[in-house]
Amino acid sequence: DAGVTQSPTHLIKTRGQQVTLRCSPKSGHDTVSWYQQALGQGPQFIFQYYEEEERQRGNFPDRFSGHQFPNYSSELNVNALLLGDSALYLCASSQGASGIFSYNEQFFGPGTRLTVL
Amino acid sequence: AQKITQTQPGMFVQEKEAVTLDCTYDTSDQSYGLFWYKQPSSGEMIFLIYQGSYDEQNATEGRYSLNFQKARKSANLVISASQLGDSAMYFCAMRERTNAGGFKTIFGAGTRLFVKA
């Protein structure tokens, strides 16, 4: 049973460029959440996709956008890259969009480390 | 305002001893979930333990237990019989409902645990 996979593992871009990160959820999961983890900090919630729609969004500018495909995989796009976008980008998958009352564990992928020069 | 506070940036523990990692949280909701994750140097977030806000018993998972004190809004992680492989970053997280009806997960800044041989 494959877990959450992310590609690429590492990426180097320059300021102003655009980047696309990819995530395949764990088998049986239909919800994908994206997080940004700057060095030495905890992950920050970017947004969540369920049924191919953005359901929840954290405090990130519109430069951060995403997409979910019918097979539940997801992409994170970042436009006009800034130096401050350098971080580990984590994808997490879960079953169902509303899991607050029930035990609804998120499984995380290994992350994509983005460096903006 | 910080919703998840981990006051210990770094902790040392002797192998085979127990260690407590502190976590306090802030929410006005009655329904929420609390999580602890382990992040080794490889970067992947590993789920350790979950506590629902209505759970009366403290959660336990093998060597991990969560000391849940709802009135104090604290959710400390206790690791018994520490092992060298426990050296990692540990994150406390809270899942709460959003205005849009879904949920999002908020992470603390983390505690780096060093296990000494």
Side-chain angles (χ1 to χ4, degrees):
Chain A
D1 177 23
V4 180
T5 59
Q6 291 186 245
S7 64
T9 54
H10 294 86
L11 204 52
I12 299 175
K13 292 286 188 178
T14 56
R15 280 178 297 175
Q17 284 189 313
Q18 179 265 343
V19 68
T20 297
L21 310 182
R22 296 175 177 81
C23 171
S24 291
K26 180 179 170 62
S27 178
H29 285 184
D30 56 9
T31 302
V32 173
S33 300
W34 286 92
Y35 295 84
Q36 180 196 65
Q37 186 178 17
L39 197 62
Q41 298 181 21
Q44 300 291 316
F45 175 74
I46 302 175
F47 44 52
Q48 181 185 81
Y49 276 84
Y50 172 67
E51 293 184 336
E52 301 181 48
E53 290 187 13
E54 182 183 294
R55 298 288 180 161
Q56 314 293 334
R57 189 177 183 93
N59 295 326
F60 279 81
D62 292 344
R63 298 187 297 110
F64 290 77
S65 63
H67 187 77
Q68 185 178 35
F69 299 94
N71 67 352
Y72 308 121
S73 67
S74 176
E75 289 182 348
L76 164 65
N77 300 294
V78 187
N79 294 323
L81 284 167
L82 305 173
L83 296 180
D85 295 331
S86 295
L88 179 68
Y89 288 85
L90 295 165
C91 167
S93 74
S94 57
Q95 175 60 45
S98 297
I100 193 167
F101 294 106
S102 62
Y103 176 68
N104 186 17
E105 180 184 339
Q106 285 187 106
F107 287 83
F108 282 82
T112 294
R113 185 160 298 282
L114 172 65
T115 302
V116 182
L117 302 176
Chain B
Q2 285 284 353
K3 288 224 166 186
I4 300 288
T5 303
Q6 295 181 252
T7 57
Q8 306 151 314
M11 287 280 288
F12 286 87
V13 64
Q14 194 68 39
E15 190 179 12
K16 299 181 184 177
E17 292 185 349
V19 63
T20 297
L21 306 184
D22 294 341
C23 172
T24 57
Y25 59 92
D26 180 28
T27 182
S28 56
D29 288 349
Q30 296 300 310
S31 302
Y32 50 88
L34 297 162
F35 298 78
W36 277 91
Y37 289 89
K38 172 184 178 182
Q39 188 177 43
S41 55
S42 59
E44 188 168 349
M45 300 286 281
I46 301 169
F47 165 80
L48 296 179
I49 197 166
Y50 165 84
Q51 179 88 39
S53 59
Y54 294 113
D55 295 340
E56 296 184 352
Q57 300 283 341
N58 285 342
T60 60
E61 290 284 350
R63 295 187 299 112
Y64 305 107
S65 61
L66 198 152
N67 185 358
F68 181 46
Q69 298 187 40
K70 194 170 182 176
R72 293 186 175 185
K73 293 187 177 178
S74 75
N76 299 340
L77 176 70
V78 180
I79 304 175
S80 63
S82 297
Q83 302 172 355
L84 295 178
D86 293 336
S87 294
M89 280 291 287
Y90 288 81
F91 291 96
C92 179
M94 177 175 66
R95 181 173 300 156
E96 62 177 2
R97 191 169 293 282
T98 67
N99 292 334
F103 68 92
K104 65 177 182 180
T105 304
I106 303 166
F107 286 79
T111 294
R112 182 167 293 282
L113 178 65
F114 299 92
V115 181
K116 300 181 292 183

